[in-house]
Every structure is written in structure tokens, then in C-alpha cells.
Amino acid sequence: MEVNTKPYDLVVIGGGPIGMACAIAAQRKGLNYLLIEKGTLVNSLYNYPLYMTFFSTAERLEIGGVPFTCIAPKPGRQEALEYYRNIQRKFMLNIRLYERVLSVQKQGNGQFNVTSEKDVYAAANVVIATGFYDIPMYINVPGEDLLKVHHYYKEAHEYAFKKVLVIGANNSAVDAALECWHKGAEVTMVIRKGEINDRVKYWIKPDIENRIKEGSIKAYFYSEVAAISEKEVTITTPDGTVTVENDFVLALTGYRPDLDFLKSCGIAISDGINCTPQYNPETMETNVNGLYLAGVVCGGLETHKWFIENSRVHADMIIDDIMSRQELK
């Protein structure tokens, strides 16, 4: 593919809330920008469980200074999708949907070539705001590749009246366990630590703890799945190995950013356990001049560090830095 002859001041990769916030900030400053998203608008939110409720209140999910009106104390997935669709209607952002970016390469002239499945774009600056929801944290045990094993959860109906094993103790795992139990599933949880994660939504945590305490949901603490077969799951527990009958496994053990993509762009990644990408916290610029990070992707494997509400500010930080450099030219 030939490079698109029209160079952009900025290409933003990732059409989630933070990528959209970056595009809005660029538009307001008169920058010639392009926003590229591999799926639908706010693709990660679209793929969240159907009835998920956000931890954040509506005003903390706002971008572009546009109010997010919500009757309930906490908005749900459907309300969030409606809000961000309305954001697009208001700003008419220059966005290309269903176009995956394959590579970002800096050229000798200081500009970037951003190669997607459909085109190659020249850009003076690039923002990567790709989130972390694309790659599951695999447990790497025999049988994980069976069709009965799911790393993403949409809704409980398909698991009704079946034996379901949920791996994990974070928000997604707890929500799935409770919803499946309410729909008539026989639910077992396998939890690596000795308790439900402290970061679980405060209005959900007592519910799951009470269901476990009363025996409605069976939980194996300090335990790990050792193997999965078509009709059983083998679990390593403090009291020895246990085998339980099973129809479905929900391995909701978390997700991670595409670190290989970041490395291919030239971004330095720490050797530590968190695999944190290198960036300037005052400007969000990486070790590659003109290449920025925004949103959850900044945390590496610490995916609980950044949320919409505390990374919205990245947009203005990045655009302010780009504008200050243009003024110096």
C-alpha cells in the first residue's frame, strides 16, 4: 500500500472513550487528525457483559464537557453506549471504524507511517489509546482450548441450569458468578487467594460473600485449576486435588494490553512484573518522540491503575504538548 498523501497532525489509535477524548481535544485546537478503531465505536465497552454496571458515576465517564445524564446512581453498559454514540453525533469525529492498525513506524523525516488493514497514513504525531481488553490472561492448563472454556462473559442465559465453574475473584468473575446463579446455574468458583478481591464493587461484594457463606455458590480458596476436560475440571486445593463435574468454564482472570504491538512501535517496556511502558507522566509522550500513550494502556499489566475517570486528562495533556511544539516551530 502507498502512503496516504495527506499527512495528519495526529493519528489516534483506539476509538474508546479516551481515544475519542483525544480526538475531541485535537478538533478543538484545529489539528488535522484521524481516529482509527479496529471494531465498532467504543469497542471494548460494546463487548462488556450486557448488564454490567460501572463502578464510576455518570459524570466521571464524561468526555468533551458533554453531560452524561443517568437516572440510576451508576450507569450501565447500554447507557454508556448511548452516551458515546451521542458524543460522536455531536462532534462528528473523523473516525474510521472496523480498521485494525497493524504497525506504527517512524520515518527518516520524523513523521510516522501508520499502516492499517486498509491504508497507510502519514502523521506528525500518534496517540495509542488501545486499552487492555483484547488479550485474556490465559491460565495455561490442559484443556483451556476446549470450546466449553470462555474468557469473555456476555450474559447468563446460555449457562442456565448447567454446571459452571468461574475462575477469578475480580468484578467480572463475581458478576458472572452471581448472574449465572440467579439464572439457575450450579456455580463453583476457583480463587487463587483467600478472599474476594477488595476492588470488587462495594454493592456486589457482600452479595457474593453471603452466597458463598450459605453454600449457594461453592468456592475453593487458595486454589487453582490444574486441568479441564469435556465433563470435569481438576482443581488443586490446600486439601488436595478435587475433581468436579462441569459443563462450562468462565476463565475471567483478567486481560492485558497488546505489549507486542507497543514494542513493535519502538516503545520501551519495563522488565518488571508490571511490564510498564515508558512515557513522560507530564506529557504522556513515550521514549519515541511524537508517539504518545493515553488511557489504560499506560499501566501495562497494572490494568486496575487507569480508568476512564482518571485518564480523561491525558487528552488535554497530549494535545497541549503537541500545540506547544508547533508554536516553537
Side-chain angles (χ1 to χ4, degrees), residues 236-308:
T236 303
T237 79
D239 298 322
T241 299
V242 174
T243 299
V244 298
E245 293 183 6
N246 174 258
D247 298 307
F248 291 101
V249 173
L250 294 175
L252 304 179
T253 50
Y255 309 92
R256 65 175 181 83
D258 190 344
L259 298 174
D260 289 337
F261 176 73
L262 298 185
K263 291 176 183 178
S264 74
C265 298
I267 298 174
I269 306 293
S270 73
D271 293 329
I273 150 183
N274 295 323
C275 297
T276 309
Q278 181 178 325
Y279 65 91
N280 182 337
E282 295 182 0
T283 64
M284 308 311 295
E285 187 179 35
T286 70
N287 57 289
V288 180
N289 187 267
L291 179 57
Y292 299 82
L293 296 178
V296 179
V297 72
C298 299
L301 296 184
E302 287 187 291
T303 54
H304 61 277
K305 184 175 181 179
W306 294 105
F307 307 93
I308 297 172

Side-chain angles (χ1 to χ4, degrees), residues 14 34-35 42 46 63 71 102 118 141-142 154 164 182 206 213 215 220 225 240 250 252 254 272 278 281 314:
L34 175 65
L35 178 59
V42 291
Y46 170 73
I63 60 174
I71 296 175
L102 304 176
K118 300 180 180 179
V141 300
K154 202 68 176 179
V164 178
H182 280 297
K213 184 177 180 180
Y220 291 97
V225 169
L250 294 175
L252 304 179
Q278 181 178 325
H314 294 171

Side-chain angles (χ1 to χ4, degrees), residues 98-116:
Y98 296 99
E99 184 170 343
R100 181 181 294 274
V101 170
L102 304 176
S103 68
V104 176
Q105 299 295 327
K106 192 155 191 179
Q107 306 303 300
N109 61 3
Q111 291 192 330
F112 295 91
N113 279 359
V114 179
T115 303
S116 77

Side-chain angles (χ1 to χ4, degrees), residues 7 17 19-20 44 51 61 68 74 94 112 141 144 152 161 187 190 207 216 219 222-223 234 248 270 286 302 311:
M20 294 179 74
S44 290
Y51 306 110
L61 302 179
F68 185 163
K74 308 278 188 179
N94 183 25
F112 295 91
V141 300
E144 188 175 10
Y152 293 89
F161 316 114
V187 178
V190 176
D207 191 0
S216 297
Y222 297 112
S223 301
T234 302
F248 291 101
S270 73
T286 70
E302 287 187 291
S311 60

